[in-house]
Amino acid sequence: MQKNKSLKAVSFGEILFDVFEKEKKIGGAPLNLALRAKSLGLDVAMISAIGDDQNGKELKKYIEENGINIQGIITDPNHKTGVVQVFLDERGSATYDITFPSAWDFIKINDEIKNIVQEADIFFFGSLACRNDISKNSLLELLESNPNMFKIFDVNLRSPHYKIEILEKLMKKSDFIKFNDDEILEIASKMGIQSSLLEENIRFIAEKTNTKSICVTRGKHGSILLWEGNFYYNNGYTVKVADTVGAGDSFLAALITKLTNHTEPQFSLDFASAVGAIVASKRGANPKIEKSEIEYFLEKEYK
């Protein structure tokens, strides 16, 4: 790929409001990815759907103000903008109650969306948008429409909104898959391997799905990356966790931004791990991050 100044990224899927006990914050994994990728230098478009309501207007305005192409966000007059109730435990780990149906369950392809995807170099997508057939079928069609784009599958298991058969189909259409450690162990076991070793599970998934690049996040214990046949490791950075919402999304956006800019894989992983840790140390999925905050962690690694 070319240097990332000219790379065009598309993110497909849910955009919504995360509602905490006392406040609501803009979120949705594909949108979190898009916002972080944009802040790190990619040219980003969003494909999703909102309702014809106040929440939808607020979302669209915020996304546009943050420099993301909104031409692929359709307005669905029949369904409300997505809302998710977020519950945090004492460690800041989140569980979710995701309203169904929501507008983003009904993403329908139009000419503008087709054109956006035809021009894309990078295509981010997740599994949650496949809980309804309309968005699922749109995603599957778009994944086939541009053979030249780098397709990144952010596995985002939210019970009960997934089926192993759909996950396998999406993995086989991907060039890069990102899991957390619980997700890969659950999926790999259902596909036929019984091992607690992440490397064995990664190799198994890579072989079964013909996906050469896989990354697994391990919370505070860091991450593992399989890239061009080699494993790379980061052992994590210690922070006081405010909440974990969006940390994995920012991690993935940072990792892909670096890797597609031909940055050395180990540094890419370390950079992404720093970004993810910083997000976990702040409230909400999309906090502002200063360059100096990232450098603080990387200086320890590369001094």
Side-chain angles (χ1 to χ4, degrees):
M1 289 189 180
Q2 307 165 47
K3 292 292 182 180
N4 72 0
K5 283 189 292 185
S6 60
L7 290 183
K8 292 186 176 182
V10 174
S11 192
F12 177 100
E14 64 272 16
I15 59 177
L16 47 84
F17 276 98
D18 287 322
V19 180
F20 297 80
E21 187 176 346
K22 296 179 181 178
E23 60 183 336
K24 68 176 187 179
K25 288 184 175 288
I26 285 169
L31 177 55
N32 299 337
L33 270 166
L35 290 165
R36 189 63 62 198
K38 175 63 180 178
S39 76
L40 294 170
L42 290 183
D43 181 1
V44 185
M46 189 75 224
I47 296 174
S48 190
I50 54 174
D52 187 13
D53 50 33
Q54 187 57 37
N55 276 348
K57 292 181 177 69
E58 287 181 37
L59 266 176
K60 199 169 184 179
K61 182 172 183 284
Y62 179 87
I63 295 167
E64 186 172 30
E65 286 176 348
N66 278 271
I68 292 173
N69 182 344
I70 61 170
Q71 298 305 308
I73 300 176
I74 61 174
T75 299
D76 181 343
N78 300 315
H79 300 93
K80 292 182 179 180
T81 299
V83 172
V84 172
Q85 297 291 330
V86 182
F87 305 96
L88 301 175
D89 65 17
E90 65 278 0
R91 297 173 299 162
S93 295
T95 54
Y96 306 91
D97 182 7
I98 307 168
T99 302
F100 180 87
S102 296
W104 56 264
D105 290 304
F106 300 88
I107 303 170
K108 297 176 183 177
I109 296 173
N110 57 28
D111 288 340
E112 283 182 312
I113 287 174
K114 288 179 182 177
N115 291 336
I116 289 169
V117 174
Q118 281 302 311
E119 295 178 0
D121 301 296
I122 298 167
F123 189 94
F124 293 107
F125 65 99
S127 49
L128 184 55
C130 290
R131 70 177 183 171
N132 192 49
D133 283 346
I134 291 177
S135 290
K136 179 189 73 177
N137 292 335
S138 293
L139 173 59
L140 292 173
E141 182 179 336
L142 292 173
L143 287 170
E144 297 293 333
S145 68
N146 180 353
N148 297 316
M149 62 188 180
F150 189 54
K151 297 179 286 293
I152 298 137
F153 180 22
D154 179 21
V155 178
N156 210 355
L157 301 188
R158 297 286 180 262
S159 183
H161 303 292
Y162 62 91
K163 297 176 181 177
I164 189 66
E165 313 86 67
I166 301 300
L167 296 175
E168 284 193 59
K169 181 178 284 190
L170 293 173
M171 288 190 288
K172 289 175 180 177
K173 294 180 181 297
S174 305
D175 299 304
F176 187 107
I177 307 171
K178 182 257 181 188
F179 305 87
N180 66 32
D181 46 0
D182 291 331
E183 288 166 343
I184 193 170
L185 293 175
E186 177 182 340
I187 293 168
S189 69
K190 288 179 178 177
M191 291 175 65
I193 184 175
Q194 302 302 321
S195 172
S196 60
L197 294 176
L198 289 179
E199 290 87 348
E200 287 186 7
N201 284 273
I202 291 169
R203 292 284 192 195
F204 174 82
I205 294 284
E207 183 178 334
K208 284 286 186 180
T209 65
N210 196 30
T211 306
K212 295 180 180 178
S213 302
I214 293 175
C215 186
V216 178
T217 57
R218 302 183 298 149
K220 67 180 182 180
H221 302 296
S223 49
I224 304 174
L225 171 67
L226 175 65
W227 182 258
E228 296 180 343
N230 298 311
F231 280 110
Y232 300 87
Y233 299 84
N234 178 281
N235 292 323
Y237 297 113
T238 301
V239 295
K240 182 178 180 182
V241 174
D243 69 61
T244 59
V245 180
D249 306 325
S250 281
F251 167 91
L252 180 57
L255 180 61
I256 294 301
T257 301
K258 288 298 183 183
L259 289 173
T260 56
N261 198 33
H262 305 287
T263 303
E264 195 272 326
Q266 185 62 57
F267 183 84
S268 298
L269 189 62
D270 295 337
F271 179 89
S273 299
V275 170
I278 294 164
V279 172
S281 74
K282 302 185 180 190
R283 296 283 293 176
N286 299 295
K288 300 294 183 190
I289 294 179
E290 300 297 332
K291 186 178 178 181
S292 59
E293 294 179 275
I294 302 172
E295 290 172 346
Y296 169 80
F297 290 103
L298 295 180
E299 282 171 1
K300 296 180 179 179
E301 203 82 48
Y302 292 91
K303 62 183 178 181

